Amino acid sequence: MTGPSVADVGEDGLVAAVLARYPAPPAWVRVPAGDDAAVLDLPGAGLVACTDTLVEGEDFHRRWSSGRDVGVKTAVQSLIDVAAMGGRPRALLASLAAPADLPASWAEDLADGLAAECARAGAVMVGGDVSAAAQVVVTGTAIGTMDGLPPVGRGGARPGDVVALAGTAGRSAAGLALLLAGHRADAPEPAEAAAVIVALIGDHLRPRPPYSAGPAAAGAGATAMIDTSDGLLRDAARVAAASAVVIDLDPGALRPDGDLAVAASLLGAEAMDWVLAGGEDHALLACFSPGTALPAGFRRIGEVLPARPDRDRAGFVLVGGVPRSGEVGWSHFRPRLRGAQ
Amino acid sequence: MTGPSVADVGEDGLVAAVLARYPAPPAWVRVPAGDDAAVLDLPGAGLVACTDTLVEGEDFHRRWSSGRDVGVKTAVQSLIDVAAMGGRPRALLASLAAPADLPASWAEDLADGLAAECARAGAVMVGGDVSAAAQVVVTGTAIGTMDGLPPVGRGGARPGDVVALAGTAGRSAAGLALLLAGHRADAPEPAEAAAVIVALIGDHLRPRPPYSAGPAAAGAGATAMIDTSDGLLRDAARVAAASAVVIDLDPGALRPDGDLAVAASLLGAEAMDWVLAGGEDHALLACFSPGTALPAGFRRIGEVLPARPDRDRAGFVLVGGVPRSGEVGWSHFRPRLRGAQ
């Protein structure tokens, strides 16, 4: 039923099958994927590059995520990091390490997901690699261009700046909580909950980050920016630490949306925990000088305060003035530590 | 004895420790590793990009390879692919997925190896990522520049071309065979064999590819080029297939060196098998129009013949005129298939 495995089709066969699924590249891809390396013609002043890995059992489960879902998620993770510098995503390389018995169709679906999300972000697949491993490990590396805009790092936030968010907060975590509680996008549910469950699980499995908000923020003079892959509190704390400031998030502006309220009541959970600590929304958190007209897609969610040496540690995040640890949120290796403590 | 694990130091602690080991980047690295993405100022016309993954138990064993060795090998695999297009390696990103109990010192040694090999190749580390996984998986992504030279793919070889090699053939495979037979670089051996064993095992664990030969070949008008990561026969077959020609390797020009002869006699092996089918030498195999003065580092090892439809399959590789399968050599997933057949 599952068809041939990656071992059945072999390394060269798998590479050929994957390459055949990518659309014809634009003219600036001078040598496309399939040779030792790709050769691209891009504006080289302000070239953006980053890499991110997804591991089966840690970042996704094959029983919940299709190959296409994992392809989308891999592309999202790397491409949104380009946008988080204010860059425009242009190209993606992806490496797959997989057990020999992985269905070849799963790997082909992965390629479809990678290509589909690249198309959404305005980027193209330009390379990859295939290896054998005990579990599925997918690494994406994104290349982007600043196109004359100034890169926006984490360290430029100043007291008085407005903190703004483009994208969602907590929806991915709510979707994960629904999956962990046994809900499925295709299971029969009471009518009012079914649409919410489908939407939140979809947002967890296939996040839809606001790529164009990144260059828009850079163009509007954003002083600092980060993508909220590890949760609002944790990523805001990274900006606060790098900028030696305190960030005060406004709980009123972060009030959970109706979907989150429905899911929280279904699960007996606290929706605000998802909003503040849930990872993988891949929204963009940016700081702007006071008075800046926020670019389309951004809404105000807080403000930047000075770190007072007598009271605050730089890197503190407050919610409505109350200190909250920035250590809340996703951290690799942490799950494995739980049993040991 | 092994000190804290990666879980003990945590994701952010590990990233900070790794970043601290990289030397200060040159001025064209506008935003170095440590933010969402690096921002580089490079000549963007002819930007080279490729990615490669190493998996514990498949591509290396921790009992044989130090963290530093794996760092070197990861950098080599990606950076030489840039040179195999005729490009100059400029930047490397590396992603580490590892068990929570991996010693943090191993990950720091990995960073040292990555940085050391980057320095050897004229490149700099510009980014990375850390994840939890059951086995160690390291993915390197290299970025290079063509600097005005024409990219050299696999598909341009023409009948009459000279086939040339820069770098070694068979030394990595001989080193691996010695390790598999129980030899170690630090074990007492008969004096005459000891130096050979140390040298061959060293070449397996820490290959030293001829980076500058890549741009030199492109500058000399190479018609096709590939790096011999999967063995001479297999990689020559890829050039022959992409170019729709036959490649005839000259066994006289590929005669095993003295070290290989010593190792072969020690192990009762056939040195020529290592030369023809051994992987991971990361030499550069290039084709040149007849009469081209070979660039420094290259030696003639064969010639390109037309594929005659009545007799030859395009992609055939001959050795001294005798057909040899291009399927010999390293292929992922193959090892796992052995038990099933």
Side-chain angles (χ1 to χ4, degrees), chain A residues 55-66 70 176 180:
Chain A
V55 179
E56 179 177 13
E58 298 279 339
D59 301 294
F60 66 90
H61 296 281
R62 268 194 273 160
R63 69 180 179 279
W64 294 344
S65 293
S66 68
V70 175
L176 176 60
L180 286 169

Side-chain angles (χ1 to χ4, degrees), chain B residues 218-277:
Chain B
T223 56
M225 186 152 54
I226 195 169
D227 103 279
T228 61
S229 52
D230 296 334
L232 212 47
L233 285 178
R234 190 173 170 84
D235 287 313
R238 287 179 167 143
V239 170
S243 302
V245 297
V246 168
I247 286 181
D248 188 12
L249 298 176
D250 175 358
L254 290 169
R255 204 165 292 133
D257 67 24
D259 284 4
L260 293 191
V262 168
S265 118
L266 204 61
L267 300 178
E270 187 52 69
M272 198 63 181
D273 289 346
W274 292 330
V275 171
L276 291 173

Side-chain angles (χ1 to χ4, degrees), chain B residues 159-179:
Chain B
D161 282 357
V162 169
V163 179
L165 188 74
T168 62
R171 293 185 64 88
S172 179
L176 176 59
L178 287 164
L179 284 170

Side-chain angles (χ1 to χ4, degrees), chain A residues 267-284:
Chain A
L267 300 177
E270 188 51 68
M272 197 64 182
D273 289 348
W274 294 330
V275 171
L276 292 173
E280 300 191 310
D281 279 295
H282 300 294
L284 293 177

Side-chain angles (χ1 to χ4, degrees), chain A residues 5-8 10-12 14 30-31 34-55 58-59 77 80-82 84-85 93-100 126-135 137 139-143 146 149-155 225-227 230 234 238 327 330-333 336-337, chain B residues 5-8 10-12 14 30-31 34-55 58-59 77 80-82 84-85 93-100 126-135 137 139-143 146 149-155 225-227 230 234 238 327 330-333 336-337:
Chain A
S5 69
V6 293
D8 293 335
E11 182 181 354
D12 288 352
L14 183 61
R30 212 196 301 178
V31 178
D35 215 299
D36 291 306
V39 181
L40 319 175
D41 292 322
L42 285 172
L47 204 76
V48 190
C50 57
T51 192
D52 252 299
T53 293
L54 275 83
V55 179
E58 298 279 339
D59 301 294
Q77 288 221 352
I80 190 61
D81 278 335
V82 168
M85 298 305 292
L93 303 101
S95 165
L96 168 67
V126 298
D129 182 48
V130 175
S131 299
Q135 68 197 133
V137 179
T139 297
T141 304
I143 295 175
M146 290 304 310
L149 291 171
V152 184
R154 300 174 180 179
M225 187 154 52
I226 193 167
D227 102 279
D230 296 334
R234 191 175 171 85
R238 288 178 167 142
E327 291 305 304
W330 174 256
S331 174
H332 286 105
F333 305 124
R336 306 210 164 221
L337 285 173
Chain B
S5 70
V6 292
D8 292 334
E11 182 181 353
D12 289 351
L14 184 61
R30 212 195 302 176
V31 177
D35 215 300
D36 291 307
V39 181
L40 319 174
D41 291 321
L42 285 172
L47 204 74
V48 191
C50 58
T51 191
D52 252 300
T53 293
L54 275 84
V55 179
E58 297 281 338
D59 301 294
Q77 288 219 354
I80 190 62
D81 278 334
V82 168
M85 297 306 291
L93 302 100
S95 163
L96 167 67
V126 298
D129 182 48
V130 175
S131 300
Q135 67 196 135
V137 178
T139 297
T141 304
I143 295 174
M146 289 305 308
L149 291 171
V152 184
R154 300 174 179 179
M225 186 152 54
I226 195 169
D227 103 279
D230 296 334
R234 190 173 170 84
R238 287 179 167 143
E327 290 305 303
W330 174 257
S331 174
H332 286 105
F333 305 122
R336 307 208 163 222
L337 284 174

